[in-house]
């Protein structure tokens, strides 16, 4: 292969794919130097022991970059504020983690004078697009190596065999080899029995769910909680001010123990196929619900409705890896403008997988009890509605009269 490639920066997770990529790169690119980069977006214990593992398998060094705060405040919150949900279910946990990781990898690749950037995404998935579009946004001429598109390995079974042949330690086994992606926002599960949509996920298997429990295993007593928002940004839980990382961790804890945020879906991948996965997003599900509840009273009707349309497009852009595009940036500017009055408190009741509204208040509330009341009031003259309906219904009336005239000919 190309002799000009002497130094490669690898997006490294320490999982099956990237573990075998290090020796594979050295074997196929003339013993090139491999610099591994692991982005901490909230994987927790998955980062333990990575440096030793990376060097043992042939990397010259490992960067571990703590991107958690930036991930939440610059990627998660803007997406949540947009109300972006892919295909009505997916809260985009993997999708918006890729751009921030790729951006940092490019920065390190430039600083290290690397000849190429390598990732372990498969040729069937969405992540290859998300990584490479983000790389192109900051290093348009950088060579990208995607082993899954060029090597001879055809399955995860063959990857495991390759790892065993090269004495690469693995935490997985053939029996529990779900494909997982974990960060501060969510955990995804794919593969094995989940590949058949007819199979019910093993929610009550203690080795399946990691961020929480199934609704059946949740407590029989509901749990109340309150989230405070300032201009669309959550700042406190149950009256306690928190930084962004602590707040998401707290919501994950509350949601997890109450069976919140478990999604089983068959989604339409960007590359054209359908795929089935199970997502755990306990804190995220709470946050989306609470934020939308607050917007119900803080946004006027037309802005609220138009924002719902924006959310659909925003979700597509994030899912398709188009974070660093003029359209996404423009939509974010619109969303940010709508958040200036989204301040207040949302009280929720969590019970066996359900998020139940329990009250909402805001100093910017547009809800006027004097106008909305069914009791007598001096604000709203109900006689005015007759003229409004006559004007609003005029096109319908004209069309009906025209249809009657044609039918009577």
């Amino acid at each position: 292969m190309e002799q000009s490639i002497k130094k490669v920066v690898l997006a490294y997770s320490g999982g099956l794919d990237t573990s075998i990529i290090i020796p594979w790169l050295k074997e196929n690119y003339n013993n090139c130097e491999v610099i591994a980069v692991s982005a901490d977006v909230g994987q927790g214990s998955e980062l333990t022991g990575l440096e030793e593992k990376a060097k043992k398998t042939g990397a010259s060094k490992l960067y571990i970059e703590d991107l958690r705060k930036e991930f939440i405040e610059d990627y998660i919150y803007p997406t949540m504020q947009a109300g972006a949900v892919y295909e009505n279910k997916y809260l985009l946990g993997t999708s918006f983690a890729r751009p921030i990781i790729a951006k940092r990898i490019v920065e390190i690749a430039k600083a290290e004078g690397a000849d190429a950037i390598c990732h372990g995404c498969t040729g069937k998935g969405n992540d290859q697009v998300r990584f490479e579009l983000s790389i192109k946004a900051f290093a348009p001429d950088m060579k990208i190596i995607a082993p899954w598109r060029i090597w001879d390995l055809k399955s995860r079974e063959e990857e495991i065999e390759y790892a065993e042949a090269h004495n690469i330690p693995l935490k997985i086994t053939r029996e529990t080899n779900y494909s997982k992606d974990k960060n501060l926002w969510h955990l995804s599960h794919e593969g094995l029995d989940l590949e058949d949509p007819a199979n019910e996920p093993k929610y009550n298997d203690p080795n399946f769910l990691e961020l929480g429990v199934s609704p059946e295993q949740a407590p029989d007593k509901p749990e109340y909680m309150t989230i405070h928002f300032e201009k669309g940004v959550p700042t406190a839980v149950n009256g306690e001010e928190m930084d962004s990382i602590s707040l998401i961790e707290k919501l994950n804890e509350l949601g997890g123990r109450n069976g919140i945020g478990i999604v089983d879906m068959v989604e339409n991948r960007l590359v054209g196929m359908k795929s089935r996965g199970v997502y755990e997003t306990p804190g995220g599900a709470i946050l989306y619900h609470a934020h939308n509840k607050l917007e119900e009273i803080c946004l006027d009707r037309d802005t609220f409705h138009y924002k719902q349309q924006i959310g659909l497009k925003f979700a597509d852009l994030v899912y398709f890896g188009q974070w660093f595009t003029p359209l996404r940036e423009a939509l974010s500017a619109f969303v940010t403008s709508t958040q200036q009055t989204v301040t207040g408190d949302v009280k929720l009741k969590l019970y066996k997988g359900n998020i139940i509204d329990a009250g909402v208040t805001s100093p910017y509330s547009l809800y006027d009890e004097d106008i909305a009341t069914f009791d007598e009031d001096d604000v709203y003259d109900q006689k005015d509605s007759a003229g409004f309906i006559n004007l609003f219904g005029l096109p319908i009336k004209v069309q009906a009269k025209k249809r009657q005239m044609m039918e009577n000919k």
Side-chain angles (χ1 to χ4, degrees):
M1 293 189 178
E2 296 183 42
Q3 301 298 313
S4 60
I5 295 179
K6 297 180 174 59
K7 184 182 291 188
V8 179
V9 170
L10 168 66
Y12 182 75
S13 68
L16 176 58
D17 295 334
T18 55
S19 292
I20 67 173
I21 282 175
I22 294 176
W24 181 88
L25 284 170
K26 299 180 78 68
E27 286 177 1
N28 289 276
Y29 288 88
N30 198 31
N31 199 33
C32 64
E33 180 182 358
V34 178
I35 297 171
V37 179
S38 292
D40 181 1
V41 286
Q43 303 94 305
S45 61
E46 292 181 13
L47 297 168
T48 304
L50 278 194
E51 183 172 10
E52 179 184 358
K53 183 177 181 180
K55 290 183 177 179
K56 187 175 181 180
T57 51
S60 62
K61 68 175 76 169
L62 170 69
Y63 287 87
I64 297 181
E65 303 291 295
D66 187 352
L67 305 179
R68 292 174 299 165
K69 186 174 185 293
E70 182 184 352
F71 177 43
I72 297 170
E73 297 176 7
D74 295 347
Y75 295 79
I76 290 177
Y77 284 172
T79 304
M80 179 271 298
Q81 290 171 350
V85 182
Y86 186 68
E87 297 187 339
N88 297 317
K89 285 188 172 182
Y90 178 39
L91 299 185
L92 300 163
T94 298
S95 307
F96 50 34
R98 298 309 181 231
I100 185 175
I101 295 171
K103 179 174 179 283
R104 185 62 185 130
I105 287 172
V106 169
E107 292 168 353
I108 291 174
K110 288 180 175 180
E112 288 282 355
D115 305 303
I117 290 174
C118 179
H119 64 74
C121 308
T122 73
K124 286 185 175 183
N126 300 304
D127 279 346
Q128 59 182 334
V129 181
R130 296 165 184 155
F131 267 116
E132 294 186 29
L133 292 191
S134 299
I135 292 169
K136 291 178 188 298
F138 297 100
D141 297 321
M142 178 70 70
K143 179 172 179 57
I144 299 171
I145 302 173
W148 264 106
R149 301 205 291 255
I150 55 179
W151 64 17
D152 295 328
L153 302 176
K154 302 301 181 186
S155 67
R156 291 177 69 79
E157 182 73 22
E158 290 185 9
E159 285 186 285
I160 293 173
E161 292 175 359
Y162 183 96
E164 291 172 346
H166 289 75
N167 297 315
I168 298 172
L170 299 174
K171 295 181 181 179
I172 62 172
T173 68
R174 288 176 171 80
E175 291 72 33
T176 62
N177 187 21
Y178 285 109
S179 177
K180 298 185 180 184
D181 178 76
K182 183 181 181 181
N183 58 44
L184 198 63
W185 186 247
H186 90 152
L187 174 65
S188 63
H189 309 255
E190 293 180 324
L192 296 182
D193 56 299
L194 296 179
E195 291 189 347
D196 185 350
N199 293 330
E200 180 182 5
K202 300 174 181 177
Y203 293 132
N204 293 318
D205 184 332
N207 296 315
F208 187 66
L209 296 176
E210 295 182 27
L211 300 186
V213 299
S214 68
E216 296 97 320
Q217 294 174 323
D220 293 330
K221 182 179 179 181
E223 180 170 5
Y224 284 89
M225 61 166 295
T226 301
I227 304 178
H228 179 74
F229 290 85
E230 288 286 338
K231 294 186 176 182
V233 175
T235 60
V237 176
N238 294 332
E240 181 182 352
E241 294 279 338
M242 295 182 178
D243 63 75
S244 56
I245 297 174
S246 300
L247 188 140
I248 296 296
E249 290 175 339
K250 180 63 175 180
L251 292 181
N252 278 337
E253 175 191 334
L254 291 170
R257 67 175 175 239
N258 286 286
I260 303 295
I262 301 169
V263 168
D264 175 6
M265 72 179 292
V266 176
E267 70 199 57
N268 289 292
R269 284 183 178 173
L270 173 58
V271 295
M273 71 183 69
K274 290 183 181 289
S275 66
R276 195 271 188 100
V278 170
Y279 297 105
E280 298 180 64
T281 322
I286 293 172
L287 207 51
Y288 263 75
H289 187 108
H291 180 264
N292 182 75
K293 188 64 182 178
L294 185 57
E295 286 191 328
E296 286 181 7
I297 66 170
C298 293
L299 298 186
D300 65 277
R301 180 193 63 197
D302 289 348
T303 300
F304 188 68
H305 287 183
Y306 195 73
K307 217 177 138 284
Q308 289 178 321
Q309 298 179 48
I310 290 295
L312 293 173
K313 184 60 180 178
F314 201 105
D316 282 349
L317 292 173
V318 177
Y319 189 85
F320 296 161
Q322 296 171 296
W323 185 269
F324 299 112
T325 60
L327 179 55
R328 198 282 307 165
E329 292 170 1
L331 293 184
S332 282
F334 166 79
V335 171
T336 298
S337 175
T338 68
Q339 299 301 292
Q340 300 311 300
T341 60
V342 184
T343 294
D345 292 284
V346 182
K347 186 178 181 181
L348 301 171
K349 179 166 64 175
L350 310 181
Y351 182 64
K352 289 190 174 296
N354 296 290
I355 305 172
I356 303 166
D357 297 325
V360 56
T361 60
S362 170
Y364 300 101
S365 175
L366 299 177
Y367 180 85
D368 190 326
E369 191 172 347
D370 289 338
I371 294 177
T373 181
F374 281 95
D375 294 329
E376 183 179 355
D377 68 83
D378 298 321
V379 180
Y380 188 98
D381 189 343
Q382 297 197 29
K383 295 177 183 177
D384 292 343
S385 63
F388 165 73
I389 294 170
N390 286 337
L391 292 176
F392 191 62
L394 184 59
I396 296 173
K397 182 177 180 179
V398 170
Q399 186 146 8
K401 291 173 72 70
K402 181 70 173 181
R403 185 173 63 247
Q404 288 176 353
M405 185 178 67
M406 296 298 291
E407 290 172 350
N408 293 331
K409 276 188 177 181

